[in-house]
């Protein structure tokens, strides 16, 4: 929903949605790091689906950094 709003709305709503997308993806990346760290120690196994999910959320975060920084500048928060 944040991506759709960032992509198809204009003005302040678009900027806030872009910032939200960056925040959600950063949280998702940190949570994926935590879960990936737990896999070998708690579960004792790794999951291909989990690793793929961690890679994808990290790519989403990397791709949302530049638009997020631009949106923060437009909102005059940075």
């Amino acid at each position: 929903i944040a991506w759709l709003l960032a992509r198809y709305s204009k003005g302040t709503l678009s900027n806030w949605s872009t910032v939200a997308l960056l925040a959600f993806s950063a949280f998702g990346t940190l949570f994926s790091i935590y879960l990936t760290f737990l896999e070998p120690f708690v579960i004792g196994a790794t999951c291909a689906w989990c690793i793929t999910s961690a890679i994808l959320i990290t790519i989403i975060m990397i791709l949302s950094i530049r638009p997020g920084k631009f949106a923060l500048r437009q909102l005059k928060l940075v």
Side-chain angles (χ1 to χ4, degrees):
I1 292 171
W3 179 82
L4 287 172
L5 287 172
R7 179 83 169 113
Y8 295 111
S9 64
K10 296 188 188 288
T12 305
L13 180 61
S14 175
N15 289 330
W16 279 113
S17 299
T18 304
V19 171
L21 182 63
L22 177 60
F24 294 151
S25 63
F27 176 78
T29 299
L30 292 173
F31 193 65
S32 291
I33 290 169
Y34 168 72
L35 292 177
T36 303
F37 176 76
L38 288 180
E39 282 180 2
F41 301 111
V42 176
I43 301 170
T46 56
C47 166
W49 181 258
C50 300
I51 292 172
T52 303
S53 173
I55 291 169
L56 289 175
I57 194 67
T58 303
I59 290 170
I60 291 170
M61 185 194 70
I62 290 169
L63 292 175
S64 66
I65 289 173
R66 182 177 286 160
K69 286 171 59 175
F70 180 75
L72 286 170
R73 284 191 202 115
Q74 292 293 320
L75 292 168
K76 297 183 183 2
L77 296 175
V78 174

